[in-house]
Amino acid sequence: MVVQSNLSTLNHCSSIETRKPATVLDSIPSINLKDPESKTHIMKACEEYGFFKVVNHSVPMEFIAKLETQALEFFNLPQSEKDKAGPPDPFGYGSKRIGSNGDVGWIEYLLLNTNPQVTSLKTLTVFRENPEIFWSAVKEYIEAVKVMAFEVLELIADGLKIEPRDTLSKLLKDENSDSCFRLNHYPPCPELQALSGRDLVGFGEHTDPQIISVLRSNSTSGLQICMKDGVWVSVPPDETSFFINVGDALQVMTNGRFKSVRHRVLANSHKSRVSMIYFGGPPLSEKIVPLTSLMGKQEESLYKEFTWWEYKTSAYKSRLADYRLGLFEKKTHQVQAIE
């Protein structure tokens, strides 16, 4: 399906960046979940990249195709119809503005709560037209992706030698888990060709605050991740696989052994990009601290103790590109980092 952009002209001054062309990352860690050594490969990927691709997963392709079709049908509605599901509160429909602190992008999106006990009125509006079809597609997809996310977290626990092995996954399984689901649409931008090699930002650089994020996108490129040396690299799209991001919370829980990955999305001049992201977060009251079993006898925590609610509240008051964990690092670590 070809989706025509319904977004009005964006304020280019705040969404264009001059960049050197990013290199293409041809060595993305690819984890086969059926491989007996997958936990070892995941550990290495989390330590070196904070990012990896999952293949041979259990999510049915028909669930993916059904949800993408429903998402495109929604995003292809007249702007006035889509606006009935917005503005986001934070759930619901949004376009161009990302958060409330001045960030913008060439994007429109739907943010949905994955907790059935918490229903947003904006969410109900989204499913007003075809509630049975759209909502069932969302639920099928999320439930399948959750199972895969649990498996990934338990493999991480195995690799870290954490007991019990559901130490991480139970935080997402908890009925009070503060997880959410986002459908992003990056319309084609014909004006991009006139920007003379500059990039139009679809979604600005950031890390994800949660424990992990599970991303799936169509075959349109645009995703980039930042390497340890600060170089941005393009991630080749793979519509049959999933990409896993280490989040800020998991970085803290491993006391910095894993690093949350900084990433962004750039617009495409010809093709629409659709992505689906499950953000796996713990309950709001959960204390985010390094796991005791990972701490050596002489090892000190690099971070102050805080709850997920405290970190989430702080993160959403910041700009996308801010180093959000900086406020929660202990001063001794901050001094060492500067030196």
Side-chain angles (χ1 to χ4, degrees), residues 12-303:
H12 290 312
C13 294
S14 55
S15 59
I16 294 174
E17 298 182 21
T18 302
R19 300 270 186 182
K20 294 179 181 179
T23 57
V24 176
L25 184 62
D26 55 6
S27 59
I28 293 175
S30 184
I31 311 298
N32 180 348
L33 290 183
K34 306 302 181 188
D35 182 351
E37 296 300 316
S38 59
K39 66 181 181 182
T40 303
H41 301 316
I42 288 176
M43 286 289 297
K44 184 176 180 181
C46 288
E47 291 173 344
E48 293 191 11
Y49 296 92
F51 177 85
F52 56 91
K53 180 164 76 171
V54 167
V55 300
N56 214 353
H57 54 79
S58 59
V59 181
M61 290 306 298
E62 56 266 33
F63 288 5
I64 297 172
K66 186 191 299 185
L67 181 55
E68 183 171 320
T69 297
Q70 290 299 313
L72 286 172
E73 286 188 7
F74 174 83
F75 289 125
N76 205 31
L77 289 172
Q79 191 64 46
S80 59
E81 287 298 306
K82 291 185 288 188
D83 285 341
K84 292 178 181 178
D89 62 1
F91 302 109
Y93 172 78
S95 67
K96 296 183 290 185
R97 297 187 182 279
I98 303 170
S100 57
N101 301 303
D103 291 296
V104 297
W106 189 253
I107 185 176
E108 56 181 344
Y109 64 88
L110 282 172
L111 184 63
L112 307 172
N113 194 334
T114 63
N115 187 339
Q117 296 182 355
V118 181
T119 303
S120 165
L121 293 177
K122 298 293 176 63
T123 301
L124 295 177
T125 304
V126 169
F127 302 113
R128 186 185 71 257
E129 297 299 327
N130 294 295
E132 298 84 5
I133 299 174
F134 201 165
W135 186 231
S136 67
V138 168
K139 287 197 295 184
E140 284 178 344
Y141 178 87
I142 290 177
E143 288 308 309
V145 166
K146 278 183 177 180
V147 171
M148 181 181 65
F150 302 157
E151 182 180 3
V152 167
L153 287 174
E154 286 165 8
L155 286 169
I156 287 175
D158 290 342
L160 291 170
K161 297 180 172 57
I162 298 172
E163 293 289 346
R165 73 188 301 260
D166 70 345
T167 296
L168 297 171
S169 64
K170 71 180 181 182
L171 298 175
L172 273 58
K173 293 178 181 178
D174 192 298
E175 64 178 11
N176 294 313
S177 166
D178 184 44
S179 299
C180 58
F181 180 63
R182 187 177 179 118
L183 289 164
N184 288 336
H185 177 228
Y186 303 91
C189 182
E191 297 93 336
L192 194 56
Q193 292 180 323
L195 297 181
S196 303
R198 291 179 294 171
D199 295 327
L200 179 60
V201 176
F203 204 113
E205 63 178 90
H206 63 288
T207 58
D208 295 334
Q210 292 86 358
I211 297 174
I212 63 168
S213 308
V214 182
L215 163 72
R216 183 267 170 191
S217 71
N218 64 359
S219 59
T220 302
S221 61
L223 176 64
Q224 296 184 343
I225 64 172
C226 188
M227 307 298 282
K228 288 182 178 179
D229 58 5
V231 173
W232 286 94
V233 295
S234 295
V235 178
D238 185 346
E239 59 186 343
T240 65
S241 303
F242 289 86
F243 294 95
I244 307 293
N245 295 339
V246 169
D248 295 341
L250 187 55
Q251 176 173 323
V252 173
M253 295 171 81
T254 60
N255 205 32
R257 182 171 175 178
F258 295 172
K259 298 293 185 183
S260 54
V261 62
R262 185 165 289 271
H263 54 289
R264 67 184 184 190
V265 175
L266 302 183
N268 189 290
S269 59
H270 301 295
K271 298 170 65 179
S272 168
R273 184 175 188 269
V274 176
S275 62
M276 316 167 181
I277 312 101
Y278 166 70
F279 298 95
L284 290 171
S285 60
E286 186 71 24
K287 288 184 178 179
I288 307 300
V289 294
L291 296 170
T292 304
S293 59
L294 299 182
M295 303 290 283
K297 292 183 179 179
Q298 303 300 320
E299 187 176 358
E300 293 186 9
S301 172
L302 301 178
Y303 307 93

